[in-house]
Amino acid sequence: ISFAKPSRMSKEAICVVLDVGTSMAKEMSDGKTRLEMAKDYIRMLVQAKLLFGGKTDKLAMVYYGCNDTNNKLNEEHPGYYENIQHVHVFKRPDLDVLETLADAEPEDAEGDVLDALFVGLELIVSEVRHLKFKKRIFLVTDGGGATKDTQHVEALAREMAFQDVRLNVIGIGFTEEESDDEDGDEMEEDDQKESKRTENEIANEKLLRKLAHDADGEVFVGSQISDALNFIRKRSVKQVHKYKGPMNIGKMTIEIATYGKTAMQNMPTLKKSSRPAEEGVSLDTSVKMERGYWNKLGSDNVEVTSEFRVKAYPYGKQLVPFLKADEALMKYMCDKTLSVIAFAPRDKIKRYWCLGSVDCVLPLADMGLRNALKFSALVQALNEEKAVAIARYVKRKNAQPLFVVMTPEINESMECLYLNQLPFSEDVRDFMFGSFDEKQKPTQEQKLAMRSLIRKMDLTKMIDSEGYEFEGLIMEETQNPTLQRFYQNVEKRALDEEAPIEDLEPAIAESVKPDVQLLKNAHKELEEIKRLFKLEVVEKVQKRKKRHWRDYLEDADISSVVDDDMAQAKKLKADAKAAGDDLNMDDIVAVKVDQVSSATPVADLQAMASRKDDVTAITRGISQMWKIINDFVQSSYGTSTFPKAIECLTGLREVCKVHQEAKGFNSGIESLSKSFKSKKSFWDMVVGADMKPISKKEDPASTYTEDQAKEFLTMKNEPEPEPDQNPVSELSDFSDLE
C-alpha cells in the first residue's frame, strides 16, 4: 500500500555553488559567455525565492575557480579546498545576493568541483543542524577545472544521502541524456563544433552525472534548466491539513486527513507605502487605514461609534437589524465531521456540479496498518465499482456544512480520494434556453467535419519530429501569463526603479497559444470547416435616434400634421355615422393592431376585435391567438408556460362570446383537445378554468348544448407521454418578460 505523504517541511536551505573558473569565459553559440548564462539561471532562482519563498528560507553562495581562497574547511585543513570562496552567508534571500551575483567575473584559476561541493555541504549541515529544513545544493558549472580525488565521489554521495541533502546540477553546455543507440556515448559532429568542449569537461560531466545518480539528485541540461527553475516560481505553501479526524461510514470509522490539492492563485496584493516617509528618515513607511461612520440625517454630521452601530439585512425595502448576539444565535451549530451518506455511480455526478478547490483525502499514517488497510479497501472497491462516495463535510466545529463527493484515485505511486464540493439547491442556476430551429441544426457532413477537427487537434496525442507521441499541454507546466508578467516587472523594478514595464516573456506567452505545428497538421480540416460553415457579412442597421416630441414639432410643418390628423378624424366620424355608431376620442387616437403578439396577446386580440375599419380583423386575431396557445403548450419546459396558455385561452373565450364568434372558439378547443388532452397536467388546468365550448345559451349560433359543453371537459383522458425536455421555442418577446 502506498499513500501520498504530505511534506511537513516548508522551510528550505539552499547553497548555490558557482563555477567562475577560466573555462566559464568561453562564449556560447548565442554570443553569451558560459558564466553569463550561469548567472542568468542563478538570478532566476534567487528572484523566485524573493517572490515566492517563505520567511524562514535561507540561501548561501559559494564560488570556486577563484584566485583567492576563503572558506571554513580550508582554515581547518590548510593546503586543501583551495580556490573556493564563501561569498554570501546563509540568510533570507535579498537584493544583496543579486548585487553580489552581478559582480561575478571569470577568473584565471581552476577549482576542484568535489572540494566545492564538500564546502557547500559543510555550510548547510553546520547552519541547519537538526532543524527541519529542506536542504539543496545547486551546482552551476560547465565541468571545467581539474578534479584531483575522484575516489571521493562515493563518500560525498553517501554523506549527502545521510544528511538528506539533494544535489541539483545545472550543466552549462552539457549533452542531453545519453541514448541507448550505438552512437549514444558520442556527440554529433555539429554539437561538438558548437560546444567546443574539452576531454576534461566531458569527463567531469560523467563524474557529476554519477554523483547526482548516487546522491538521488538530478542533472538539468538545455531547456530542462528553465523548466526546473520555473517550477520554483510558485508560491511555497505549507501543507497543513484542513480536516483531521474520523471518516464515518455507518458504524465504521477510518482516521483520515484532508489536504488542499488545487486552489486559485490570486494576484498579489500591493501594499501601500508612504512616499514622504520614504523620502525622509523614517524607517516605518507603512500606511494605516482608519474608517469612520457619520450620521448625515441630522443637521450636524455626527460620528457614530462602534457601540451605536448595528448590522441590518435587507428584506424587500425594509432593513431588519440584528445585534451581534443575534448573529451568533443565527449561526448553524454543528460538530466537525466527514460522514459518508451514500455511494453513487461515478457517471451520475456531473462535472459542472463540482465547486471550488479540490482536496486530497489520505489515511493518517500514525494510526497503524489496520486503518490504512480499511482506507485502501474503500478506494479500490470504489474504483472497481466505478462509484463515488457522497458525504457531509464540516471542516471544523460550527463551520458551514458542505455536501461533497469523493472520487477514488489509484496510480503507480499512491492511493487516495479526491474531494470536491457539490452544490445545494440554492447554488444551482437554472436557465432556460430555446433549442435551435430545424434549419439551424448542423448537417451530418458538418458534424463529421467538426469531429475530424477535434481528433486532429487532440493535445494528448501530438507527434514530434521523430514520430513519437507526446502530450502537448501539461497543466502542471503551464504558467499563468498574468501572474508571470506581474512578477517579471516586479523583479525589474526591484533592481531599477526607472525600469519600463516590459511585455511578457515570449516563451510563457507561446504556452497559452495554439501550437503552430498542431494548426499546420489540421490545416485541411480547418479549410473544410470554413467551407461548410460559411460566414456572411450582415450590415449593421443603424438604430433610430430617440427624440422628444418637441423635436418633431420644431422640425416638421405643424399645419400639415394637423391637417392630416383632422382628415383622419373626419373619415372615422363619417364611417361611424354610416354604421350608426357613436364616435369617441378613444377611437380617434387608438393605434391600429394587425397582429397578436406573444408579449400582450389578450390585449392585442381585444384591440383587433374592436376595430371597426376592418371586419376581418377579429377572424385573423382568433387564428393567431390559437397559434400562440399551441406554441405555449408545445414548447413548455415541464409546465412552465401552461399558465400563460390558460390566460390566453380565457381571454380568447371571452372575446368570442362577446362578439358572437362561437364557431372560432369551439373549433379551436376541439383541435386543442385532440392535440394536448393527453397532457394531463395541462388539461387539468383547462378543466379547472372551465374552458368548455361556447354553448347555444351563450351564442345562439353555437352547435353545442349546455350539457354537451360540460360533457366535453369530463371525457376520459388518455395516458400522458413523457414531457419534452428540449423544447423548440418559437416565442420571442413574451418569454423576455419572465
Side-chain angles (χ1 to χ4, degrees):
I1 305 172
S2 178
F3 301 104
K5 295 181 180 179
S7 175
R8 295 180 179 273
M9 295 181 291
S10 61
K11 300 179 290 185
E12 186 170 31
I14 292 177
C15 181
V16 177
V17 179
L18 174 61
D19 184 358
V20 295
T22 306
S23 60
M24 294 293 283
K26 295 180 181 179
E27 287 191 357
M28 305 290 288
S29 58
D30 58 358
K32 284 186 175 182
T33 65
R34 294 177 176 178
L35 181 59
E36 288 174 341
M37 182 171 289
K39 287 162 66 175
D40 287 343
Y41 291 140
I42 298 174
R43 190 177 296 112
M44 289 177 64
L45 170 64
V46 175
Q47 289 173 344
K49 282 297 176 184
L50 285 170
L51 284 168
F52 312 111
K55 295 181 180 180
T56 55
D57 287 353
K58 297 182 178 183
L59 184 140
M61 198 149 52
V62 172
Y63 293 168
Y64 76 96
C66 308
N67 295 327
D68 300 324
T69 301
N70 177 23
N71 64 81
K72 184 178 178 181
L73 290 182
N74 176 259
E75 295 173 359
E76 296 175 353
H77 307 279
Y80 297 93
Y81 306 102
E82 294 182 337
N83 305 111
I84 302 171
Q85 284 193 344
H86 181 195
V87 297
H88 200 280
V89 298
F90 264 112
K91 67 175 183 177
R92 185 179 177 186
D94 54 19
L95 292 179
D96 292 341
V97 181
L98 296 178
E99 293 172 356
T100 303
L101 181 65
D103 295 335
E105 295 292 340
E107 302 195 21
D108 299 330
E110 290 185 348
D112 189 322
V113 63
L114 296 182
D115 285 351
L117 289 174
F118 272 114
V119 171
L121 179 60
E122 189 277 333
L123 285 174
I124 289 184
V125 172
S126 60
E127 175 68 24
V128 174
R129 298 187 301 277
H130 61 280
L131 301 177
K132 292 183 178 180
F133 272 78
K134 292 180 183 177
K135 292 162 282 189
R136 282 197 289 179
I137 294 177
F138 277 87
L139 171 64
V140 188
T141 180
D142 62 350
T147 305
K148 302 172 185 176
D149 300 323
T150 57
Q151 66 272 18
H152 292 162
V153 171
E154 294 181 0
L156 179 59
R158 286 196 302 271
E159 186 64 20
M160 283 186 172
F162 177 74
Q163 298 293 345
D164 194 21
V165 178
R166 295 290 301 275
L167 173 64
N168 292 333
V169 180
I170 298 178
I172 307 298
F174 279 23
T175 60
E176 298 289 342
E177 282 288 339
E178 297 178 359
S179 170
D180 293 334
D181 300 335
E182 294 179 1
D183 301 331
D185 296 333
E186 299 178 3
M187 296 175 60
E188 294 186 5
E189 187 176 343
D190 293 339
D191 293 337
Q192 288 178 342
K193 290 179 180 179
E194 183 177 346
S195 61
K196 299 177 182 178
R197 303 186 69 211
T198 65
E199 293 183 1
N200 181 61
E201 291 171 356
I202 296 173
N204 281 341
E205 177 187 341
K206 292 181 178 179
L207 183 71
L208 292 174
R209 285 188 181 277
K210 182 179 185 306
L211 174 62
H213 179 270
D214 294 344
D216 195 22
E218 293 184 75
V219 178
F220 300 102
V221 181
S223 61
Q224 298 174 349
I225 302 174
S226 297
D227 294 340
L229 293 178
N230 282 332
F231 180 77
I232 302 174
R233 293 169 66 92
K234 297 180 182 178
R235 184 165 301 282
S236 178
V237 179
K238 187 177 181 181
Q239 189 68 287
V240 180
H241 60 262
K242 296 183 179 181
Y243 170 88
K244 184 178 180 181
M247 176 172 65
N248 302 310
I249 309 176
K251 295 183 179 180
M252 181 182 71
T253 61
I254 304 174
E255 295 295 326
I256 57 94
T258 63
Y259 299 88
K261 179 63 176 175
T262 63
M264 177 69 73
Q265 178 64 58
N266 298 319
M267 286 288 292
T269 55
L270 299 177
K271 294 185 177 180
K272 295 180 175 63
S273 179
S274 172
R275 177 66 71 179
E278 290 179 355
E279 296 173 353
V281 295
S282 176
L283 297 177
D284 186 7
T285 61
S286 60
V287 177
K288 297 179 181 179
M289 183 180 68
E290 293 183 358
R291 180 175 296 174
Y293 296 86
W294 301 80
N295 184 2
K296 294 187 177 182
L297 297 180
S299 57
D300 299 328
N301 286 341
V302 180
E303 184 176 3
V304 181
T305 56
S306 59
E307 59 267 21
F308 294 105
R309 293 197 303 266
V310 65
K311 289 183 179 179
Y313 295 90
Y315 188 72
K317 293 184 179 181
Q318 183 180 359
L319 291 176
V320 182
F322 282 90
L323 300 173
K324 287 186 178 180
D326 298 329
E327 285 188 88
L329 292 173
M330 287 175 61
K331 287 184 178 179
Y332 184 78
M333 312 298 285
C334 55
D335 295 326
K336 76 171 188 176
T337 184
L338 178 60
S339 301
V340 175
I341 298 173
F343 300 97
R346 184 181 300 187
D347 57 1
K348 296 299 183 182
I349 304 298
K350 308 301 181 185
R351 288 287 298 272
Y352 58 84
W353 287 352
C354 296
L355 304 176
S357 57
V358 182
D359 290 350
C360 182
V361 182
L362 299 168
L364 289 178
D366 54 358
M367 294 304 294
L369 180 61
R370 180 182 177 84
N371 186 70
L373 286 172
K374 288 192 290 184
F375 185 85
S376 178
L378 174 64
V379 173
Q380 294 188 37
L382 288 172
N383 189 62
E384 291 173 2
E385 294 295 325
K386 296 181 179 180
V388 294
I390 310 299
R392 180 175 182 267
Y393 182 35
V394 182
K395 297 179 184 179
R396 57 188 177 275
K397 187 175 181 178
N398 299 333
Q400 179 182 354
L402 301 178
F403 189 40
V404 298
V405 56
M406 292 185 288
T407 307
E409 173 68 19
I410 300 177
N411 54 42
E412 296 177 355
S413 60
M414 56 170 273
E415 296 177 0
C416 71
L417 293 171
Y418 284 131
L419 183 149
N420 290 89
Q421 182 182 347
L422 292 177
F424 290 104
S425 62
E426 294 85 355
D427 303 321
V428 179
R429 301 291 180 264
D430 289 324
F431 299 105
M432 294 175 57
F433 300 98
S435 301
F436 288 128
D437 295 333
E438 197 64 35
K439 62 181 181 180
Q440 295 172 316
K441 292 182 178 179
T443 63
Q444 186 65 22
E445 186 181 13
Q446 289 173 328
K447 289 189 285 187
L448 290 174
M450 195 62 73
R451 185 182 303 168
S452 177
L453 176 65
I454 293 171
R455 290 175 177 173
K456 201 70 175 181
M457 295 187 69
D458 187 351
L459 281 170
T460 63
K461 298 180 180 179
M462 293 182 64
I463 307 297
D464 62 14
S465 58
E466 299 179 359
Y468 291 101
E469 192 175 279
F470 69 99
E471 185 176 349
L473 185 66
I474 302 175
M475 290 295 102
E476 292 84 352
E477 300 176 4
T478 305
Q479 297 173 326
N480 185 331
T482 305
L483 287 170
Q484 294 304 319
R485 184 166 184 259
F486 176 84
Y487 298 143
Q488 175 185 326
N489 283 284
V490 169
E491 292 167 2
K492 297 293 182 183
R493 284 289 176 91
L495 298 174
D496 181 8
E497 291 187 0
E498 303 299 327
I501 300 298
E502 297 183 348
D503 293 331
L504 182 66
E505 292 178 5
I508 299 176
E510 290 298 322
S511 66
V512 290
K513 292 180 180 178
D515 185 80
V516 176
Q517 187 61 40
L518 194 66
L519 292 176
K520 185 178 179 181
N521 295 340
H523 176 73
K524 179 181 176 182
E525 286 73 14
L526 288 169
E527 291 298 321
E528 183 68 7
I529 292 293
K530 288 169 64 176
R531 184 185 70 82
L532 293 174
F533 297 87
K534 293 182 179 179
L535 298 178
E536 297 179 359
V537 178
V538 179
E539 295 183 2
K540 187 176 180 180
V541 180
Q542 190 171 3
K543 295 182 179 180
R544 293 181 59 186
K545 185 179 179 181
K546 293 183 178 181
R547 304 179 67 190
H548 196 270
W549 63 270
R550 292 192 184 91
D551 299 332
Y552 288 99
L553 294 180
E554 292 174 359
D555 298 341
D557 184 356
I558 299 178
S559 59
S560 62
V561 175
V562 173
D563 291 343
D564 292 342
D565 290 344
M566 290 298 294
Q568 177 70 13
K570 288 179 180 179
K571 184 178 182 303
L572 289 173
K573 186 174 181 180
D575 293 342
K577 186 175 181 182
D581 296 333
D582 293 330
L583 184 69
N584 54 34
M585 184 58 67
D586 292 338
D587 297 328
I588 297 175
V589 301
V591 178
K592 292 182 180 179
V593 178
D594 292 315
Q595 180 76 27
V596 177
S597 69
S598 57
T600 56
V602 176
D604 292 344
L605 178 62
Q606 291 172 347
M608 291 182 71
S610 301
R611 287 184 57 177
K612 298 180 176 59
D613 60 326
D614 186 358
V615 294
T616 63
I618 187 172
T619 305
R620 296 199 310 274
I622 292 171
S623 176
Q624 294 168 9
M625 179 63 92
W626 278 120
K627 185 177 184 303
I628 287 175
I629 292 171
N630 276 268
D631 288 344
F632 278 144
V633 179
Q634 189 168 2
S635 64
S636 177
Y637 187 85
T639 62
S640 59
T641 55
F642 286 176
K644 299 174 185 176
I646 297 300
E647 181 184 347
C648 294
L649 196 60
T650 304
L652 175 60
R653 191 180 190 284
E654 184 63 25
V655 168
C656 290
K657 184 177 73 171
V658 171
H659 293 273
Q660 302 293 296
E661 292 286 344
K663 183 178 179 181
F665 180 81
N666 292 348
S667 60
I669 197 69
E670 291 170 0
S671 177
L672 192 73
S673 172
K674 292 177 182 178
S675 301
F676 303 116
K677 200 168 186 179
S678 58
K679 290 183 176 289
K680 187 175 184 302
S681 53
F682 169 68
W683 198 252
D684 287 345
M685 296 174 72
V686 173
V687 174
D690 197 23
M691 290 295 102
K692 60 187 178 183
I694 298 175
S695 64
K696 291 182 179 181
K697 183 177 180 181
E698 296 170 298
D699 182 1
S702 174
T703 59
Y704 278 85
T705 64
E706 185 69 19
D707 293 338
Q708 289 174 335
K710 292 180 180 180
E711 185 182 352
F712 179 85
L713 294 178
T714 57
M715 293 175 62
K716 187 177 180 181
N717 296 331
E718 299 177 6
E720 181 180 5
E722 291 294 326
D724 186 5
Q725 296 300 324
N726 297 294
V728 179
S729 176
E730 298 182 4
L731 305 180
S732 57
D733 43 0
F734 195 91
S735 57
D736 292 339
L737 298 180
E738 283 288 287

